[in-house]
Amino acid sequence: MALTSSSMLDLGTKAPNFELPDSISRAVYSLDQLKGEKGTVIMFISNHCPYVKHVNEEIVRLANDYRILGFGFVAISSNDVKAYPLDHPEEMFKAARQLNYPFPYLYDETQDVARAYQAACTPDFFVFDEALRLVYRGQLDDSRPKNGIPTSGRSIREALDALLNNRAVSKLQKPSMGCNIKWRTY
């Protein structure tokens, strides 16, 4: 595992569209089908990364708290499953069921979606407004494995609360940190 930080895609960037299969329902979803009325949270995650494992419970709480307020949530795994079989769609299905993900867990086999979003690590978070313009990218909160800070989702919660209250999202944003995306080499 190489500790990697978010690339910090430019704020204001329009969310790249996608059509990806969901490891849970097996349906193919597009961004238009999954976007929320108030905004959309796109998370690049994986099954094996200790940084994702550390925040899994909080991303479930976060999604459950904000989906009912009009936000769409989507998780995407883009890792090379040949090199990392724990990130295979069958394993994604198992993890999503075990953790009760209240959002689709999409598989980006070609890794084109990760490239389009400039995702660099897992977890990597992107918050888009109702017009699908990027207003936040970076960390979930200040918690990291073994740093003693409890997970709270504070960084993303503040961005979502700003959108809910028609306020500007703070431009002071910290990159996420985690395992690098496992790019295919074949």
Side-chain angles (χ1 to χ4, degrees):
M1 171 195 76
L3 184 60
T4 303
S5 296
S6 300
S7 65
M8 304 302 276
L9 183 65
D10 290 337
L11 294 174
T13 298
K14 180 84 169 164
N17 198 17
F18 56 76
E19 285 191 7
L20 294 172
D22 179 20
S23 64
I24 303 165
S25 68
R26 308 294 193 241
V28 173
Y29 288 108
S30 69
L31 175 59
D32 264 356
Q33 292 171 294
L34 300 173
K35 69 182 180 183
E37 178 184 315
K38 298 284 185 180
T40 306
V41 178
I42 297 177
M43 308 171 280
F44 287 85
I45 65 173
S46 66
N47 293 340
H48 80 277
C49 177
Y51 288 84
V52 175
K53 289 178 180 181
H54 178 72
V55 300
N56 262 324
E57 288 182 17
E58 181 55 33
I59 64 174
V60 169
R61 271 192 299 274
L62 179 76
N64 284 330
D65 290 349
Y66 285 88
R67 285 182 323 132
I68 59 174
L69 300 175
F71 289 94
F73 281 78
V74 181
I76 300 172
S77 179
S78 300
N79 280 347
D80 173 12
V81 297
K82 274 193 173 176
Y84 290 83
L86 283 177
D87 292 328
H88 188 278
E90 290 304 317
E91 298 300 320
M92 292 168 60
F93 173 82
K94 291 176 191 174
R97 290 291 184 212
Q98 178 184 6
L99 295 161
N100 293 313
Y101 281 171
F103 42 76
Y105 191 11
L106 308 180
Y107 177 48
D108 177 21
E109 181 177 12
T110 65
Q111 302 181 318
D112 291 342
V113 176
R115 283 187 192 86
Y117 281 80
Q118 297 180 24
C121 59
T122 59
D124 210 351
F125 299 93
F126 299 82
V127 177
F128 295 89
D129 65 14
E130 72 283 348
L132 293 174
R133 295 282 174 199
L134 186 64
V135 296
Y136 177 86
R137 72 284 194 249
Q139 70 175 12
L140 178 70
D141 55 36
D142 289 325
S143 182
R144 303 288 185 270
K146 300 180 184 173
N147 77 354
I149 299 172
T151 58
S152 65
R154 181 177 177 186
S155 298
I156 293 183
R157 287 176 185 275
E158 287 176 355
L160 297 178
D161 288 343
L163 288 175
L164 270 176
N165 294 297
N166 297 312
R167 294 189 327 257
V169 176
S170 173
K171 294 193 182 343
L172 296 174
Q173 301 176 8
K174 296 178 185 175
S176 187
M177 294 175 64
C179 304
N180 60 304
I181 299 267
K182 308 307 186 222
W183 301 105
R184 289 192 336 225
T185 58
Y186 47 93

